[in-house]
Amino acid sequence: MTVAAPPEIPGARTTTGRIVSTLAQRRVVLWTAFAVVHLVVAWVALAGPDQSLGDVRTVYRSWMDDFVSGGDRVGIDVAWVYPLLAAVPMLIARLGGSTDYATVWLLVVIALDAIAFAVLLRRATRTTGTTRTTRATRATTSAAWWWLLFVIALGPIAFGRIDAVTVALALIGLLLVAERPVAASVVLTIAAWVKVWPAALVAAAVLASRRGISIVVVVAAAATTVVVVAVSLALGSGSTVLGFVGQQAGRGLQIESPAATPWLWRAAAKVAGTGVYYDQQILTFQVQGDGVGLAARAATLVMALVVGAVVLLGLRARLAGVAAPHLLGPLALALTTALIVTNKVGSPQFVSWLAVPVVVGLVTSRSGGPSFRLAAGLAVGIAALTQLIYPWFYDDLLRVEPWMLVVITLRNLGEIALLVVAAVMLWRLGGVRRGPAADRMSA
């Protein structure tokens, strides 16, 4: 018996074709904007203040020059401030030679950003149904435009540190969690072995997802870590494979960190024994004065307590039946912001981390997730203030000029406010019980 095909809805094909055409046009515009923004910011990084690419031009290149010339291999022969895989993009940039190291570095970062941008735009084509496709297209477009605005606001530091590599990798991983949890976990874990902070996103993926996917994420992360450690040991690293842990533990309070703000004001007030100095081992500017050592040691405990509180809020929301797509963005934002606010380092490039959870939150907010408008606005403001501080008026900060202390205080308060916003989102998500249907949505 032949079954008749269901009748075609009048105008459905025309509407779908219009949506596809609109999406194609938006992609052309978005990719053009991507190219313009990245080329302009890269040019500013190359032609602007020297410190924009200071670490790349001097520290990274020096490390890799030694690496390829038979000298010490950082992370293998000697303890390093970064995990082992940070050497990979640094070595790739060295393929262009020592003279053009900074230029090739920027090309590597732009290429990784382009891959992440493509993964983001691809989300709009994976939905079915006219309404869902339209909603996904709008959400994806909004997130893409916001990311480009954020890069402009943050400026050259968005490209000028190893964090740029982790941001692109982390965004790719977090966008893939629901669809390809194994690949997502592998990418996020690799990012964490470039710089530690994306480990928080692995935790967010585990907490937000239903049990089956959580187990997959954990197993894939563990397997990836075993492979990285095994390769490191095979190269002769020994215990140096974890050397970055000790390197970070002994740091003082870097001047950009929220915890250092009171000592900056004390230095400006000419309080005896208080000031800014350059740490030759860590290669950063830090504060000194009564109580700084205690505050630096306490920062680690404070970080553990704040991250623990965020985890509990995430568990509360998960037990309330919040769907994974709706929980992932707020939880990732809260964990990421907690690491920034409570960090005794506080380098300007840390602000680039915010792009990952905000983009994911903007993508999911139009499908029933919490609104990310306030968080997105705060993040752009934080980025703009950060660019003002670094690289443009960093010398004024070193001189503890009062006007610059006002700027960095506002920036640090903005980071604290963003953490509060993320925590409130989590609290509200966990305040309403969902039924079993919500749990089935968590994929």
Side-chain angles (χ1 to χ4, degrees):
M1 181 177 65
T2 304
V3 179
E8 184 175 308
I9 300 174
R13 182 174 298 177
T14 302
T15 302
T16 302
R18 189 183 304 118
I19 291 172
V20 172
S21 176
T22 301
L23 179 58
Q25 293 172 4
R26 287 180 178 178
R27 281 188 165 185
V28 171
V29 174
L30 281 167
W31 276 112
T32 301
F34 175 92
V36 171
V37 167
H38 279 70
L39 288 175
V40 169
V41 174
W43 177 81
V44 173
L46 287 170
D50 289 341
Q51 57 259 43
S52 298
L53 290 172
D55 281 13
V56 174
R57 285 183 168 133
T58 57
V59 184
Y60 295 4
R61 182 172 63 179
S62 175
W63 282 333
M64 295 306 109
D65 284 346
D66 287 346
F67 203 110
V68 300
S69 64
D72 286 335
R73 299 171 298 171
V74 287
I76 298 174
D77 300 324
V78 293
W80 198 23
V81 70
Y82 298 125
L84 178 65
L85 294 187
V88 175
M90 294 180 187
L91 276 172
I92 292 174
R94 184 59 176 73
L95 294 176
S98 184
T99 303
D100 297 321
Y101 187 86
T103 302
V104 179
W105 171 267
L106 290 172
L107 292 174
V108 170
V109 171
I110 292 172
L112 287 171
D113 271 8
I115 295 171
F117 204 67
V119 172
L120 172 62
L121 295 184
R122 178 176 169 269
R123 291 184 62 87
T125 63
R126 297 205 311 270
T127 54
T128 56
T130 302
T131 303
R132 292 183 65 194
T133 301
T134 302
R135 189 184 299 124
T137 300
R138 288 174 179 170
T140 299
T141 301
S142 296
W145 280 117
W146 179 88
W147 187 18
L148 296 178
L149 175 62
F150 181 80
V151 170
I152 294 172
L154 187 54
I157 196 62
F159 297 166
R161 298 293 186 272
I162 191 66
D163 303 70
V165 173
T166 62
V167 166
L169 292 175
L171 183 55
I172 293 168
L174 214 59
L175 288 171
L176 292 176
V177 167
E179 182 186 36
R180 298 179 180 176
V182 173
S185 183
V186 170
V187 173
L188 287 172
T189 306
I190 288 173
W193 274 97
V194 173
K195 193 165 184 177
V196 176
W197 77 271
L201 303 182
V202 177
V206 171
L207 288 170
S209 302
R210 59 184 172 86
R211 182 178 301 176
I213 290 184
S214 294
I215 293 173
V216 168
V217 171
V218 170
V219 171
T224 305
T225 296
V226 168
V227 171
V228 172
V229 172
V231 170
S232 178
L233 294 176
L235 292 172
S237 68
S239 61
T240 305
V241 66
L242 297 177
F244 61 92
V245 177
Q247 290 282 314
Q248 294 289 348
R251 300 184 75 144
L253 289 183
Q254 190 166 314
I255 60 173
E256 299 98 323
S257 65
T261 305
W263 283 274
L264 291 176
W265 282 104
R266 284 169 62 86
K270 309 297 184 183
V271 174
T274 306
V276 174
Y277 74 99
Y278 187 71
D279 188 301
Q280 295 289 345
Q281 182 179 358
I282 303 297
L283 306 179
T284 58
F285 288 95
Q286 300 183 155
V287 292
Q288 60 185 0
D290 293 340
V292 169
L294 177 61
R297 291 190 294 273
T300 302
L301 176 59
V302 172
M303 179 182 288
L305 291 174
V306 174
V307 169
V310 170
V311 168
L312 290 176
L313 287 174
L315 284 173
R316 176 175 175 265
R318 185 68 191 90
L319 293 174
V322 177
H326 301 163
L327 177 56
L328 186 60
L331 182 54
L333 178 62
L335 287 172
T336 301
T337 312
L339 293 181
I340 295 172
V341 169
T342 61
N343 205 303
K344 60 186 177 182
V345 179
S347 297
Q349 62 267 24
F350 288 8
V351 173
S352 67
W353 306 352
L354 297 176
V356 180
V358 173
V359 166
V360 172
L362 288 171
V363 167
T364 59
S365 62
R366 296 213 180 191
S367 62
S371 173
F372 257 71
R373 289 182 180 178
L374 179 56
L378 275 172
V380 169
I382 291 167
L385 290 173
T386 300
Q387 181 177 180
L388 191 64
I389 297 164
Y390 193 96
W392 301 109
F393 296 100
Y394 195 63
D395 288 342
D396 285 358
L397 179 61
L398 297 180
R399 290 192 297 265
V400 291
E401 297 286 351
W403 81 273
M404 180 48 63
L405 297 192
V406 171
V407 172
I408 196 168
T409 300
L410 289 174
R411 195 284 304 269
N412 292 341
L413 288 174
E415 292 175 347
I416 295 170
L418 186 57
L419 175 58
V420 172
V421 168
V424 169
M425 279 196 280
L426 286 177
W427 178 260
R428 288 176 175 173
L429 282 173
V432 180
R433 282 258 165 208
R434 277 79 172 175
D439 191 66
R440 288 194 295 271
M441 290 172 61
S442 302

